[in-house]
Amino acid sequence: MSTPHIAAEKGQIAERILLPGDPLRAKYIAENFLDGAKEYTHVRNILGYTGTYKGVPVSVQGTGMGIPSISIYVHELIHEYGCKKLFRVGTCGGMHPDVHLRDVLIAQAATTDSSIIRNIFGGSINFAPIADFDLLSKAVANTKKLGLRATVGNIISVDRFYDDEIDNDKLRQYGILGVEMEAAALYTLAAGAHVQALALFTVSDHLLTGEACSADERQTSFYDMIKIALETAI
């Protein structure tokens, strides 16, 4: 049966799934990277498709923006549709001098200011949301195999996009490479459900240089990140 947020039947969604925040990026990935892709949901205009990549069933599902939104979709995809390998493919803001516009980042861990950790574990535990090691190591190997470049490290998942109070200098001091809004939830929920998750990002803007990609570039480019994710998914 379909869920309140995903109008799909059991079996329409693959165990391997890519999770862009932007529904139009989900559509673009389905049309340009998957064979025989068919839409399985458009509830609230959050689009989902299933096709094949090199003969292997793969789905792609928009999740919207922020930890509350991705948490809804990840929970339903795992617990109602049986997704086992979940890949966030999103954009992030670069915040480190060693990171440049359009670079690919692979999140080894996801620091967060969100209350999701406190809500699950209480105030005495600071759970560390981390990537699945097998997917992480495979993604690094695939990056080299494809002749591409990616930086592995810690990112931060924030609750507020416009946040003048966050201490970016302190985050840089401790090696945070980029800022986004969803990965900590993905890693936490995947850990609790004993499934695999990995978050990959393309740097779409930079907090230090002020550079930024256009809205069209965010929706229809960033091939390297998608290629690495797909090769790792299969």
Side-chain angles (χ1 to χ4, degrees):
M1 298 292 292
S2 62
T3 67
H5 307 95
I6 304 173
E9 300 299 320
K10 296 290 178 66
Q12 287 186 302
I13 303 177
E15 289 189 358
R16 299 163 173 85
I17 189 163
L18 272 57
L19 303 171
D22 184 350
L24 292 180
R25 190 180 303 125
K27 184 175 188 288
Y28 181 82
I29 293 170
E31 291 176 346
N32 290 275
F33 291 88
L34 301 183
D35 295 323
K38 294 183 179 179
E39 180 186 293
Y40 60 75
T41 191
H42 56 261
V43 174
R44 300 179 183 228
N45 288 323
I46 300 293
L47 305 174
Y49 303 84
T50 297
T52 61
Y53 179 76
K54 294 186 176 179
V56 178
V58 176
S59 294
V60 55
Q61 168 75 54
T63 65
M65 295 177 64
I67 282 174
S69 185
I70 194 173
S71 295
I72 291 170
Y73 290 98
V74 167
H75 179 92
E76 293 182 5
L77 289 167
I78 292 172
H79 295 284
E80 301 298 330
Y81 294 103
C83 293
K84 304 295 185 186
K85 295 184 178 183
L86 299 93
F87 297 84
R88 168 149 163 68
V89 284
T91 58
C92 73
M95 56 187 305
H96 195 280
D98 293 338
V99 170
H100 307 287
L101 196 69
R102 298 183 182 84
D103 278 2
V104 176
L105 304 184
I106 303 175
Q108 181 176 17
T111 294
T112 187
D113 66 355
S114 172
S115 61
I116 185 174
I117 306 300
R118 186 166 60 254
N119 288 342
I120 294 173
F121 292 93
S124 62
I125 300 294
N126 291 316
F127 176 78
I130 60 172
D132 175 80
F133 179 77
D134 287 342
L135 294 185
L136 177 63
S137 58
K138 188 176 179 182
V140 171
N142 282 326
T143 300
K144 296 176 181 177
K145 183 179 177 181
L146 293 165
L148 301 176
R149 202 178 150 273
T151 302
V152 179
N154 199 351
I155 55 92
I156 183 167
S157 302
V158 296
D159 267 342
R160 290 187 292 166
F161 186 87
Y162 299 106
D163 187 353
D164 294 333
E165 288 137 358
I166 196 166
D167 190 342
N168 290 326
D169 290 333
K170 178 72 75 173
L171 294 171
R172 272 190 288 274
Q173 178 186 344
Y174 282 82
I176 300 294
L177 301 176
V179 56
E180 58 88 57
M181 302 184 71
E182 291 86 19
L186 172 61
Y187 285 177
T188 300
L189 296 175
H194 308 291
V195 298
Q196 297 176 285
L198 184 66
L200 305 94
F201 305 96
T202 301
V203 178
S204 60
D205 57 278
H206 207 291
L207 278 63
L208 288 176
T209 67
E211 298 171 284
C213 296
S214 69
D216 285 343
E217 285 181 296
R218 289 168 183 257
Q219 287 178 8
T220 62
S221 60
F222 307 153
Y223 296 96
D224 292 354
M225 167 184 68
I226 297 166
K227 191 73 173 177
I228 294 166
L230 287 168
E231 289 292 322
T232 304
I234 62 172

